[in-house]
Amino acid sequence: MRRLDRTTAVLAGALLVLLAMGPVLPKWAVFLVTVALAKALVVLGLLVLMRAGLVSFGQGLYFALGGYAAGMAAQALGVGDAVPMLLLGTVVAAGAAGLLGLLLARYRTIFFAMLSLAFSMILYGLLVKSSALGSTDGFNVAPRTVAGLAMGRGGIYALAVVCSFAAALGLHHLFGSHLGRLAPAIRDNELRVEYMGASVRNVVHLYLVLAAALAGLGGGITALAVGHIDPEMAYWTTSGEFVFVAIFGGTGSPVAPFLASLLYELIRSYAYEYSPNTWQMVVGVSMLLVILFLPGGLWSAFARRRRAA
Amino acid sequence: MPAILEVRGLTKTFGAVTAAGDINLDVQEDTVVGLIGSNGAGKTTFVNLVTGYLKPTAGSILYRGRDITALSPRQITRMGICRSFQIPQVFDTLTAYDNLLVGVGVAARGDGAGASTAFAGLSSEEVVQGMLRRFHLEPYSDAPASALPEGVRKLLDIAMALVVKPQILLLDEPTSGVSSDEKFALMDLVLGAIRAEQVTVLFVEHDMEVVRRYTQRIVAFYEGRVIADGPTAEVLSNPEVRRYVVGEETPARPREERC
C-alpha cells in the first residue's frame, strides 16, 4: 500500500480532528473556525497566484461574487440547500475570472495587482448602487439543509472543513504536477517557459480561474456562516486582508493558509475583545514579528524544523 | 535530401539599421552548421528570427515545408525548433533537476507535433535523470540554478533546450564565458549529447578552432548579410571571411562587388 506523504497525512489528521471537535466546540469557536477556513480557501487561491509571482489585491471580487451568487441562489432561485448554493458561487466566481482573465493574464507585477484591485472596486461600486441586491445593507442568506440533511448546529462548519480538506489536498497534488511546477518557473523566467513550449498566458489564466473558484467557494461559505452578505466583501480592505494572511502564513505549503487564517482570526478576535480601539496595532505587530523572524511566513518555522531534523 | 529549414529573403531592419539583409539558406537534416561573424554581424538576430523572438521585416522561414514566419516562440518550439541562450535562461530558484522536470512536463503534455512523442515508456524522472547524466549534471541535481557555476548553467541551459526533444537546436554562443582550455571538452560533451538524438544543430560561435572542429558547414555573416556559405574548410579560407570575420589583414574585394 502506498504511504501517505507528510502533507496529505497532516491534512487527513486535521480533517478528522476538526470534524471530531465540531460537536464539542463552543458556538463562538465553531463560527470562528468556519470563517477562518472560508477565508483560508481564498488565501489558498492566492497562493496559486503568488507561486507564479502574481499578487492579486482583488480577490474580494470573487469572494463577493461567491457570496452573492450563493445568496441569490436562495433568494431568486429558491434553492434551499447549501451545497448547490456553494456550487453556484464557485462557478460564478470562476466564470468571472475566465472573462476578466483574458485581460488580467496579460499583466504582471504592480499592474496586475492594481488592475485586479480596480475590478474588485468596480463590483463594490455596482453592489453599493444596486438596490435590488440590498445596496450597502446587503441581504440575509439562510440555507435550510446541507446536502439534503436538516441544518444542524455544525452543518456549515462540517461543510467548510470538508471543502477545505478537498481544496488543500487538490492543490497539494497540483503543486506536485507538471502544471503546478510551471508556477515557480513562470515567476523565475517567463521567456524560458515560452521557449520550452508552454503558454505563460494560458497557464496564468488557468491559475486565475482556479484562484477565483476557491475565492468564490470561500465567499459562499462565509455568506452561509454569517447568514448575511454585503458589499464590504468586495471592498479593497477585504482583498488586502487575504494578502496579509497569505504573507502571514507563507507560500510553502497548502496547509499554511489554514494555519495562518486560524491564527489571524484568533489574534483579531482576542485583540478586538481586549483592545477594541487598537486591535489593528496588535495585528500589525504580529505581522511585523513574522516578517522579522519568519520572513518565509509561519509555515517556514515548520519547514525549518523539518530540515533540521 | 530535402531541407529541414529553408530561409528565403529574410530581412530585419531596425529603423535605418539592417540587422538581417536578404538572407537565403537551406539547412539539411542531421547536420551541424556554424554561424560565424563579428559582433553585430547578425548571427543572434538570425537565431531570434528563426525561433520567433523577432518578426522579420520581409522574407519567410519554412520548417519541413511549413511557413513558420509568423508563429510565436512557443509554437515554433512545439513544432521542434528549440534554442539555448548566450546568457543562460534558467529557473533560478529551482534545482537543476526541477529545471529539467519543467521541460519534460511541457513536452510530455504535447499537442501533436515534434516534442510530444519522445518519452514513450520512460517516466519524467527517468528522462530527467538521463539528461542529467548525459550532460554530467548529476552532482548539481539538487542545487538551485542560481548557485551553479556559469559553465554549469550553460550546460543546464542547453539541456533544457534538448529535453523538449527538438528536431533543430540553435545554440547561441555555447562556449562564451568558458575558458579556452575547457571549450573543447564542453563542446565534446554538448555535441555528443545532442548528436546522440540526431538533432540538426546550428550554433553561433566566435572561436574559429571550435567551428573548424565541430561543423560540417559554415554560414558567415557580416553587417547583417551572408558573405559566405559552404563547407567548413572552404568558408574558413574565403578571403572575405578571413578579413571581416577572422580579422586577418588580407586583401579583399571592395564591398560593392559583393552585392
Side-chain angles (χ1 to χ4, degrees), chain B residues 7-28:
Chain B
V7 176
R8 298 281 174 264
L10 198 65
T11 302
K12 178 68 183 177
T13 56
F14 296 101
V17 177
T18 301
D22 194 27
I23 296 170
N24 292 282
L25 60 94
D26 290 351
V27 177
Q28 308 305 319

Side-chain angles (χ1 to χ4, degrees), chain B residues 6-256:
Chain B
E6 299 166 59
V7 176
R8 298 281 174 264
L10 198 65
T11 302
K12 178 68 183 177
T13 56
F14 296 101
V17 177
T18 301
D22 194 27
I23 296 170
N24 292 282
L25 60 94
D26 290 351
V27 177
Q28 308 305 319
E29 196 159 6
D30 203 16
T31 54
V32 179
V33 179
L35 306 175
I36 62 171
S38 54
N39 286 333
K43 310 176 297 294
T44 298
T45 300
F46 176 74
V47 171
N48 286 338
L49 286 166
V50 171
T51 55
Y53 187 72
L54 292 175
K55 294 298 164 216
T57 312
S60 61
I61 304 162
L62 306 180
Y63 169 66
R64 294 193 187 281
R66 185 177 162 189
D67 193 339
I68 60 166
T69 317
L71 300 185
S72 67
R74 175 177 60 88
Q75 292 168 314
I76 291 172
T77 300
R78 294 208 76 87
M79 289 183 74
I81 301 177
C82 301
R83 70 172 293 182
S84 72
F85 296 83
Q86 190 177 348
I87 298 166
Q89 297 292 322
V90 296
F91 306 124
D92 277 337
T93 63
L94 303 185
T95 63
Y97 183 95
D98 284 340
N99 266 271
L100 292 170
L101 196 56
V102 169
V104 173
V106 174
R109 189 178 64 82
D111 55 5
S116 59
T117 56
F119 307 133
L122 290 176
S123 69
S124 300
E125 288 72 20
E126 286 170 331
V127 174
V128 172
Q129 289 294 356
M131 198 57 75
L132 288 169
R133 201 164 37 245
R134 200 179 297 172
F135 279 87
H136 297 184
L137 290 168
E138 284 164 309
Y140 307 100
S141 173
D142 295 328
S146 59
L148 298 177
E150 193 60 14
V152 178
R153 283 167 63 87
K154 274 266 186 215
L155 283 176
L156 180 60
D157 183 54
I158 296 167
M160 288 165 76
L162 190 61
V163 82
V164 294
K165 291 287 177 188
Q167 305 291 307
I168 298 178
L169 185 53
L170 294 102
L171 307 176
D172 196 355
E173 300 197 27
T175 65
S176 71
V178 177
S179 72
S180 51
D181 296 342
E182 296 170 325
K183 279 185 177 177
F184 293 118
L186 181 121
M187 286 304 290
D188 281 343
L189 179 63
V190 166
L191 281 182
I194 296 171
R195 299 293 289 148
E197 306 267 332
Q198 296 182 308
V199 174
T200 304
V201 181
L202 286 85
F203 75 92
V204 174
E205 183 56 59
H206 283 287
D207 189 317
M208 293 305 126
E209 282 310 307
V210 171
V211 175
R212 189 190 306 277
R213 188 185 287 198
Y214 295 100
T215 63
Q216 297 147 355
R217 175 186 167 193
I218 292 177
V219 179
F221 290 81
Y222 181 67
E223 292 187 347
R225 295 176 191 280
V226 174
I227 57 170
D229 178 4
T232 299
E234 189 182 298
V235 171
L236 286 180
S237 60
N238 179 305
E240 281 188 305
V241 172
R242 300 194 72 77
R243 180 182 172 89
Y244 294 116
V245 180
V246 181
E248 286 181 1
E249 287 299 322
T250 55
R253 286 181 289 153
R255 289 197 56 215
E256 299 76 44

Side-chain angles (χ1 to χ4, degrees), chain A residues 21-32 153:
Chain A
M21 281 170 61
V24 293
L25 280 174
K27 201 173 177 181
W28 67 267
V30 167
F31 176 75
L32 187 140
R153 178 168 158 256

Side-chain angles (χ1 to χ4, degrees), chain A residues 49-60:
Chain A
L49 297 174
M50 288 172 89
R51 278 168 50 87
L54 299 164
V55 180
S56 166
F57 278 93
Q59 291 310 94

